[in-house]
């Protein structure tokens, strides 16, 4: 059992067009006027933005930073730094840290809303959740939850956030429209990891002291199944089709595979020493697992449930997140204060990014991302 007490995603013709694509003569003047307006606006934007940027206030504003970064269509990785109470924001196109956000004490878990507008951070030291607005990269709300909230997952419709509270043995259910706790669900002993099924119907929670996984029905917010797994289950990830849940067992160096239709373990996969974080590729073909004991990431092929690759990363890799296009994996290395970036086509590290102290949780926003390498 690992208890961290110290800081260690027109076929129709347009209006005014005739059958064969020629514009009627009566619309010619309007078409010309419209094109002139568009050209004028483009010229104005091209002149006005650089002029505005000469203003110190605009040049240092979050809005201008967003403009330079390409707006909300860009993709970012948010990393919780347990050791210095911050969140690092990584631009996945350049693999550089573009912002650092102060949050609560000992931040650990990270989850992004499906529309990419907000990031939820669990703060173990202050027993609350920080809500970050991704347009400004500022904390816009703080939500009290249970004791030592370790991780968080958000439903596919974005309406609920499920927060696992280690020392309360509970899960807090947050209404994301009001950012208030609307239910508290008792689970097993020392819950740690959490994942929501793609249809939003069920939430899977790992219980380290019980060696079990609790299954919560999101319609009633009650536990409807308890699944025995390996020793000290840490985190859980669910395949895109919702049929399998992969659970890392830190205590016996295995990964349990749960059939979510029957909630029984259908396979147990031997992996390296002290498996921690787990994530499934968007196509469901591979599962990536951090191996804390040997500073590696192992890759499981889901068709055979066998390890097919082992990738050296930084020291004490804890958690990981995969980009929506499935091309990159971002791995937090807690003892290095770095994030390793893995190219999933070659399963090699193509970049290493320095972040804050003791990074743990990581999540990636939807958008266009293209990591270098």
């Amino acid at each position: 059992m690992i208890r961290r007490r110290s800081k260690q995603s027109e076929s129709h013709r347009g209006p005014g067009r005739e059958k064969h694509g020629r514009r009627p003569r009566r619309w010619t003047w309007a078409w010309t006027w419209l094109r002139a307006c568009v050209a004028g606006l483009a010229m104005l934007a091209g002149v006005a933005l650089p002029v505005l940027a000469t203003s110190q206030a605009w040049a240092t504003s979050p809005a201008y930073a967003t403009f330079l970064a390409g707006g909300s269509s860009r993709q970012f990785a948010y990393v919780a730094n347990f050791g210095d109470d911050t969140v690092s924001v990584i631009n996945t196109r350049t693999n550089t840290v573009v912002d650092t956000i102060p949050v609560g004490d000992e931040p650990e878990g990270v989850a992004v809303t499906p529309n990419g507008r907000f990031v939820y951070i669990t703060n173990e030291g202050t027993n609350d959740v920080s809500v970050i607005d991704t347009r400004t990269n500022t904390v816009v709300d703080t939500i009290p939850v249970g004791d030592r909230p370790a991780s968080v997952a958000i439903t596919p419709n974005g309406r609920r956030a499920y927060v696992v509270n280690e020392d309360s043995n509970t899960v807090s259910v947050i209404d994301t429209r009001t950012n208030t706790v609307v239910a508290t669900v008792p689970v097993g002993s020392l819950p740690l990891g959490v994942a929501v099924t793609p249809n939003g119907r069920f939430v899977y929670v790992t219980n380290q002291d019980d060696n079990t996984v609790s299954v919560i029905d999101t319609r009633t917010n009650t536990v409807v199944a308890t699944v025995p797994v390996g020793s000290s289950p840490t985190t859980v990830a669910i395949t895109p089709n919702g049929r399998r849940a992969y659970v890392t067992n830190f205590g016996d160096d295995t990964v349990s595979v749960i059939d979510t239709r029957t909630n029984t373990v259908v396979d147990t996969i031997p992996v390296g020493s002290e498996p921690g974080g787990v994530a499934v590729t968007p196509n469901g073909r591979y599962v990536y697992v951090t191996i804390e004991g040997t500073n590696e990431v192992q890759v499981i092929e889901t068709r055979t449930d066998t390890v097919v690759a082992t990738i050296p990363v930084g020291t004490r890799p804890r958690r990981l997140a995969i980009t929506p296009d499935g091309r990159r994996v971002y791995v937090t290395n807690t003892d290095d204060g770095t994030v390793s970036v893995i190219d999933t086509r070659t399963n090699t590290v193509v970049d290493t990014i320095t972040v804050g102290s003791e990074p743990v949780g990581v999540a990636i926003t939807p958008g266009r991302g293209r990591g270098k390498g």
Side-chain angles (χ1 to χ4, degrees):
M1 181 190 70
I2 300 300
R3 298 176 72 103
R4 292 167 306 285
R5 285 294 180 257
S6 63
K7 286 195 173 183
Q8 294 229 205
S9 101
E10 282 186 341
S11 60
H12 303 291
R13 293 184 297 273
R17 287 191 180 271
E18 294 178 333
K19 183 176 180 181
H20 299 291
R22 181 180 300 173
R23 288 186 297 275
R25 186 176 302 275
R26 64 180 178 272
W27 291 108
T28 301
W29 66 270
W31 183 254
T32 303
W33 177 83
L34 178 59
R35 287 196 302 175
C37 286
V38 170
L41 286 171
M43 181 178 295
L44 178 61
V47 172
L49 283 172
V51 170
L52 285 169
T54 60
S55 161
Q56 183 177 3
W58 168 249
T60 58
S61 69
Y64 184 57
T66 301
F67 164 71
L68 290 178
S72 59
S73 63
R74 294 291 182 248
Q75 190 177 85
F76 299 92
Y78 285 75
V79 177
N81 301 307
F82 189 90
D84 62 16
D85 308 333
T86 64
V87 171
S88 296
V89 185
I90 298 171
N91 184 327
T92 61
R93 179 173 290 271
T94 61
N95 282 336
T96 56
V97 174
V98 295
D99 212 342
T100 302
I101 309 166
V103 289
D105 292 351
E106 299 178 352
E108 180 168 349
V110 185
V112 180
T113 55
N115 61 7
R117 280 283 307 279
F118 298 99
V119 177
Y120 284 68
I121 308 290
T122 62
N123 303 305
E124 286 203 7
T126 46
N127 300 329
D128 54 29
V129 173
S130 297
V131 184
I132 296 170
D133 187 326
T134 60
R135 296 169 301 181
T136 60
N137 279 336
T138 57
V139 173
V140 294
D141 215 339
T142 301
I143 310 163
V145 289
D147 290 342
R148 297 194 71 80
S151 57
V152 54
I154 297 175
T155 54
N157 63 12
R159 294 179 181 176
R160 293 289 187 270
Y162 284 77
V163 177
V164 169
N165 305 303
E166 283 189 55
D167 284 0
S168 297
N169 299 331
T170 60
V171 173
S172 297
V173 186
I174 295 172
D175 184 328
T176 59
R177 292 167 292 189
T178 61
N179 280 333
T180 57
V181 174
V182 293
T184 301
V185 186
V187 288
S189 178
L190 196 68
L192 184 59
V194 61
V196 184
T197 55
N199 62 8
R201 282 282 308 278
F202 299 100
V203 174
Y204 284 69
V205 177
T206 61
N207 305 303
Q208 276 204 321
D209 279 358
D210 285 353
N211 302 329
T212 62
V213 171
S214 297
V215 185
I216 298 171
D217 187 325
T218 59
R219 296 169 300 183
T220 61
N221 282 326
T222 56
V223 173
V224 294
T226 301
V227 187
V229 289
S231 174
S232 296
T234 302
T235 61
V236 55
I238 299 171
T239 54
N241 62 13
R243 295 179 180 176
R244 293 286 188 272
Y246 285 77
V247 179
T248 57
N249 302 306
F250 193 92
D252 63 13
D253 306 334
T254 63
V255 172
S256 297
V257 186
I258 298 173
D259 184 328
T260 60
R261 293 165 293 189
T262 61
N263 282 325
T264 57
V265 173
V266 293
D267 210 344
T268 300
I269 309 168
V271 292
S273 175
E274 300 178 352
V278 61
V280 184
T281 55
N283 62 9
R285 287 277 308 277
Y286 299 99
V287 175
Y288 284 72
V289 178
T290 61
I291 307 299
E292 293 189 28
T294 53
N295 303 325
E296 295 169 327
V297 168
Q298 292 191 320
V299 187
I300 297 169
E301 186 180 46
T302 58
R303 292 178 297 185
T304 61
D305 279 340
T306 57
V307 174
V308 294
T310 299
I311 310 161
V313 289
T315 306
R316 198 180 170 209
R318 290 288 299 281
R319 301 291 181 263
L320 69 176
I322 302 175
T323 54
D325 63 6
R327 293 178 61 182
R328 295 288 188 270
V329 181
Y330 285 72
V331 183
T332 58
N333 304 304
T334 298
D335 287 358
D336 280 354
T338 63
V339 171
S340 298
V341 184
I342 297 171
D343 185 327
T344 59
R345 293 166 296 185
T346 62
N347 280 329
T348 57
V349 173
V350 294
D351 219 335
T352 301
I353 309 161
T354 300
V355 290
S357 173
E358 300 179 25
V360 183
V362 56
I364 299 172
T365 64
R368 299 197 308 270
R370 186 178 64 213
K372 66 182 182 179

